[in-house]
């Protein structure tokens, strides 16, 4: 064993099952075949998992970053073993049937990392992820396996420039709406699409990828500052190398993800989501991460934290700035420091540095020369950028992003659609009226299956100048790039007979994000009568991954999870 790791007892690590003793000679022969020497074989094995692929810019830089992480592991006396898993990239899956694969991929990512780690008995994990669902999927696998782990974000894309302004992919989605009503020419649309995404990296605003990257630091699974640096910045390699070294330190300390991801850490994570005006999808992913450990932390728990958290980061889509700007202004630690100073964070939570949040932030100083983040004592808005809703239309809750919105109350008649495609066609052809509440149902975890995001529809509304003149509710999801009065995760979903399935055109819907209300002006007796007449729909898939997902997936309130989680665990992998 490497001299740096004399304090690591291999006899207590999972990899002993594949490297130690005469019975494992066949297994060792495979490692010799790959060029390892005896010293490397008898060191701890560290899985270095990435979601590298050529599907989108979010993931294209991860292979390079994995090499740096492997160097860090090797320099600290570990043996890195690189492997990859899938991603489904929302920007390309958006607006068509491919989006049904997106949320399903989160759990498949977690499962595939688990199976690779289990099958080969790796002792620790460095997980590098770049696209929306791959971040929570990777973190879910870490707390599920509970081997020492460090999370690394692949980094955000740089902003594009169009006619003198910074732009993101969301501007292109909204341009489709402009184009549909004759407010943008073919040539201008073509120019915008060619300049909006100028580099590798995940979508640049505080959309789902950057929201969950922010979570990774606040929850304690990522090194400070590592989630902020854009993908093209060379410093990303330094963070990846440091992550490889850090995971070896965690091995020697036997400091595991479940020591780090506690109830308090989950509350810290929800706090930074609200403070940064982050994606509503965090209200799905944080309960799913908690579920892996057996911690009860559902949509209502998340919403309670959102309600008491100030909104302090002026980030797109509701604000002005992108992830690069936040990083250069002082990074996620600067935002966390002002939240800690005002009592919004638990400073005693341990992190992958081996130190607490408070210790990590001790020397972080405020930057007066920036306006990306304001101090928590003088917030942009006193309550968070994301709000939970409840009422007779959403007994199991719903979620809305209010960052950047001026009016938080809406009331109007329902116009119901039984799929995203139906609604998008109506929007594209302006077959709706100002003041209506557009309802998209049968798009939930089961009904979709897969709980699609609706960015194409919401962006088209904004492009038509109607983003603040109509509201939209769904049992599906909204993209982190969505803005406006768009309420997602309405539960119970239509497929199981939730109230959203019982709505009729013209029903008056009340939305009050100040008071957290989502209700319909229909009596309980009338809703019950409609429920008696309602008939469940046959699932629209009969085989394959989507069918399998629909058989096992739970409700959005608890994270749309697909297995019993920590409460059902018989034996933790880390202890085999």
């Amino acid at each position: 064993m490497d001299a740096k790791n004399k304090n690591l007892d291999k006899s207590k690590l999972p990899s002993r099952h594949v490297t130690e003793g005469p019975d494992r000679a066949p297994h060792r022969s495979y490692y010799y075949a790959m060029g390892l020497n005896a010293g490397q074989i008898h060191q701890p094995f560290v899985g270095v998992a990435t979601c590298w692929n050529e599907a989108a810019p979010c993931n294209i830089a991860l292979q390079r970053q994995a090499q740096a992480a492997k160097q860090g592991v090797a320099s600290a006396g570990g043996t890195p073993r690189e492997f990859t898993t899938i991603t489904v990239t929302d920007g390309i899956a958006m607006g068509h049937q491919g989006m049904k694969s997106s949320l399903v991929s989160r759990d498949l990512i977690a499962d595939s990392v688990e199976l690779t780690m289990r099958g080969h008995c790796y002792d620790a994990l460095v997980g590098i992820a770049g696209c929306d669902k791959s971040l929570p999927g990777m973190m879910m696998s870490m707390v599920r396996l509970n081997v020492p782990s460090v999370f690394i974000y692949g980094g955000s894309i740089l902003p594009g420039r169009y006619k003198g302004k910074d732009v993101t992919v969301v501007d292109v989605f909204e341009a489709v709406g402009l184009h549909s009503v004759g407010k943008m020419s073919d040539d201008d649309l073509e120019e915008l699409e060619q300049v909006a995404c100028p580099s590798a990296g995940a979508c640049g605003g505080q959309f789902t990828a950057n929201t969950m990257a922010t979570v990774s630091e606040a929850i304690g699974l990522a090194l400070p500052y590592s989630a902020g640096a854009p993908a093209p910045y060379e410093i990303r390699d330094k963070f990846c190398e440091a992550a490889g070294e850090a995971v070896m330190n965690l091995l020697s300390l036997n400091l595991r993800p479940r020591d780090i991801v506690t109830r308090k850490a989950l509350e810290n994570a929800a706090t930074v989501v609200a403070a940064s005006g982050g994606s509503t999808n965090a209200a799905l992913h944080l309960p799913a991460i908690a579920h892996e450990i057996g911690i009860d932390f559902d949509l209502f728990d998340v919403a309670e934290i959102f309600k008491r958290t100030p909104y302090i980061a002026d980030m797109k889509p509701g604000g002005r700035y992108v992830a690069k700007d936040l990083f250069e202004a002082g990074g996620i630690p600067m935002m966390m420091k002002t939240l800690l100073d005002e009592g919004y964070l638990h400073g005693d939570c341990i992190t992958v540095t081996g130190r607490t949040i408070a210790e990590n932030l001790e020397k972080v100083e405020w930057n007066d020369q920036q306006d990306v983040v304001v101090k928590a004592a003088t917030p942009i808005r006193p309550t968070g950028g994301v709000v939970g809703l409840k009422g007779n239309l959403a007994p199991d809750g719903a979620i809305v992003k209010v960052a950047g919105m001026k009016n938080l109350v809406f009331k109007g008649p329902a116009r119901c659609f039984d799929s995203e495609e139906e609604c998008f066609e109506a929007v594209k052809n302006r077959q709706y009226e100002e003041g209506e509440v557009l309802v998209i149902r049968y798009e939930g975890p089961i009904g979709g299956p897969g709980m699609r995001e609706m960015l194409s529809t919401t962006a088209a509304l904004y492009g038509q100048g109607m983003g603040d003149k109509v509201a939209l509710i769904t049992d599906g999801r909204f993209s982190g790039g969505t803005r406006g009065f768009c309420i997602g995760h309405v539960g119970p979903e239509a497929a199981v007979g939730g109230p959203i399935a019982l709505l009729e055109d013209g029903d008056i819907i009340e939305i009050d994000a100040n008071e957290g209300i989502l209700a319909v002006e229909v009596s309980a007796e009338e809703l019950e009568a409609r429920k008696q007449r309602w008939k469940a729909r046959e699932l629209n898939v009969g085989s394959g991954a989507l069918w399998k997902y629909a058989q096992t997936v739970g409700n959005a309130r608890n994270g749309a999870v697909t297995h019993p989680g920590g409460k059902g665990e018989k034996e933790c992998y880390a202890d085999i």
Side-chain angles (χ1 to χ4, degrees):
M1 183 171 289
D2 188 282
K4 296 176 183 176
N5 279 302
K6 285 182 178 176
N7 60 330
L8 282 173
D9 184 359
K10 180 96 167 183
S11 69
K12 295 180 180 177
L13 297 178
S15 66
R16 72 186 185 279
H17 294 297
V18 296
T19 65
E20 306 307 301
D23 293 348
R24 297 302 177 247
H27 306 65
R28 289 192 295 272
S29 72
Y30 273 34
Y31 289 111
Y32 285 118
M34 292 183 282
L36 270 62
N37 60 39
Q40 292 168 319
I41 290 170
H42 294 294
Q43 289 180 155
F45 280 6
V46 178
V48 178
T50 79
C51 303
W52 176 85
N53 59 43
E54 293 182 335
C58 330
N59 312 300
I60 203 72
L62 301 188
Q63 189 179 56
R64 185 199 85 223
Q65 294 186 33
Q67 309 318 307
K70 288 161 67 178
Q71 288 176 8
V73 170
S75 70
T79 301
R81 309 310 300 151
E82 183 181 357
F83 63 95
T84 60
T85 183
I86 70 155
T87 47
V88 173
T89 298
D90 292 2
I92 291 175
M94 197 75 70
H96 54 89
Q97 291 290 314
M99 193 66 209
K100 291 182 177 180
S101 300
S102 173
L103 184 59
V104 179
S105 75
R106 181 196 70 180
D107 293 62
L108 180 56
I109 289 162
D111 292 350
S112 63
V113 172
E114 176 197 358
L115 292 175
T116 301
M117 294 286 291
R118 280 186 179 277
H120 306 103
C121 294
Y122 294 157
D123 303 315
L125 175 63
V126 176
I128 309 175
C131 200
D132 293 5
K133 307 308 170 297
S134 61
L135 281 80
M138 196 68 74
M139 286 185 259
M140 287 163 66
S141 69
M142 289 175 174
V143 293
R144 183 188 300 179
L145 293 161
N146 203 32
V147 292
S149 302
V150 177
F151 178 86
I152 285 284
Y153 180 40
S156 65
I157 199 169
L158 296 175
R161 294 287 289 178
Y162 176 72
K163 295 189 175 180
K165 293 183 178 180
D166 281 356
V167 291
T168 71
V169 70
V170 171
D171 294 283
V172 189
F173 275 100
E174 293 184 1
V176 173
L178 287 168
H179 184 267
S180 73
V181 293
K183 293 181 180 179
M184 178 175 272
S185 69
D186 292 348
D187 288 344
D188 282 349
L189 181 60
E190 183 177 8
E191 180 185 349
L192 175 60
E193 72 182 55
Q194 291 177 356
V195 300
C197 299
S199 75
C203 299
Q206 198 67 348
F207 314 147
T208 304
N210 280 319
T211 297
M212 295 310 296
T214 305
V215 160
S216 71
E217 286 196 31
I219 210 168
L221 289 174
L223 296 172
Y225 296 100
S226 66
Y233 284 18
E234 290 298 318
I235 197 173
R236 289 233 55 84
D237 289 353
K238 299 290 186 186
F239 284 125
C240 290
E241 188 170 353
E245 295 170 355
V247 83
M248 293 304 298
N249 183 52
L250 295 176
L251 258 177
S252 65
L253 296 172
N254 195 28
L255 183 59
R256 300 179 177 187
R258 296 186 194 179
D259 301 321
I260 293 168
V261 183
T262 60
R263 171 77 188 214
K264 284 183 175 181
L266 288 158
E267 291 177 359
N268 284 346
T271 298
V272 298
V273 172
S276 65
S279 169
T280 55
N281 282 310
L284 198 70
H285 301 322
L286 291 177
I289 292 169
H291 173 78
E292 297 287 353
I293 313 167
I295 296 175
D296 292 324
F297 192 71
D298 69 6
L299 172 63
F300 293 128
D301 295 307
V302 175
E304 190 62 34
I305 294 158
F306 287 171
K307 190 188 300 183
R308 66 175 187 245
T309 303
Y311 168 45
I312 62 172
D314 193 13
M315 304 287 284
K316 287 178 179 285
R320 295 174 291 167
Y321 294 108
V322 295
K324 174 185 82 76
D325 302 317
L326 176 59
F327 178 68
E328 292 173 352
I332 295 163
M334 188 183 73
M335 180 178 70
M336 289 175 60
K337 180 66 180 295
T338 185
L339 290 167
L340 178 67
D341 288 346
E342 298 301 323
Y344 293 104
L345 289 181
H346 301 290
D348 58 343
C349 292
I350 199 73
T351 74
V352 290
T353 64
R355 300 185 296 274
T356 65
I357 290 281
E359 289 169 336
N360 287 344
L361 300 177
E362 186 177 357
K363 295 182 180 179
V364 173
E365 296 183 359
W366 183 258
N367 176 9
D368 284 322
Q369 305 303 308
Q370 58 83 37
D371 62 353
V372 181
V373 182
V374 301
K375 288 192 174 181
T378 55
I380 299 168
R381 179 172 293 179
T383 55
V386 185
V387 172
L389 305 173
K390 190 178 183 181
N392 69 341
L393 188 46
D396 276 352
I399 200 88
V400 60
K401 178 186 258 190
V402 298
M405 286 172 54
K406 294 176 183 176
N407 180 25
L408 301 186
V409 177
F410 197 99
K411 191 173 186 178
R415 179 172 292 206
C416 301
F417 303 93
D418 288 349
S419 71
E420 183 193 8
E421 283 82 1
E422 286 182 21
C423 186
F424 183 73
E425 281 302 308
V427 169
K428 189 171 72 172
N429 297 313
R430 287 300 297 267
Q431 295 170 343
Y432 64 95
E433 301 295 331
E434 182 176 332
E436 288 184 327
V437 179
L438 309 182
V439 179
I440 303 177
R441 58 194 178 190
Y442 295 99
E443 291 285 6
I446 297 171
M451 208 178 179
R452 282 193 288 182
E453 289 183 358
M454 311 286 172
L455 179 59
S456 292
T457 303
T458 60
L461 286 168
Y462 256 92
Q464 293 175 355
M466 298 293 284
D468 57 353
K469 296 179 174 64
V470 297
L472 203 158
I473 71 171
T474 181
D475 52 6
R477 298 181 295 122
F478 287 113
S479 164
T482 290
R483 56 188 177 128
F485 234 135
C486 300
I487 293 121
H489 305 198
V490 174
E493 63 172 293
V496 298
I500 192 172
L502 312 178
L503 290 176
E504 297 177 358
D505 287 348
D507 287 344
I508 301 301
I509 294 174
E510 176 192 2
I511 306 163
D512 188 336
N514 290 312
E515 300 298 324
I517 294 170
L518 177 60
V520 58
E521 293 183 356
V522 175
S523 68
E525 292 77 16
E526 172 60 18
L527 284 175
E528 181 57 32
R530 292 182 188 180
K531 181 67 179 287
Q532 295 305 315
R533 297 193 298 268
W534 175 83
K535 292 183 179 179
R537 296 182 167 208
E538 186 177 347
L539 194 64
N540 57 22
V541 292
S543 64
L546 296 181
W547 177 87
K548 189 169 13 175
Y549 181 81
Q551 309 311 306
T552 58
V553 69
N555 59 41
R557 174 177 175 174
N558 292 298
V561 294
T562 54
H563 68 112
K567 288 185 177 179
E569 187 177 80
K570 304 294 185 185
E571 180 182 55
C572 178
Y573 164 73
D575 297 321
I576 62 169

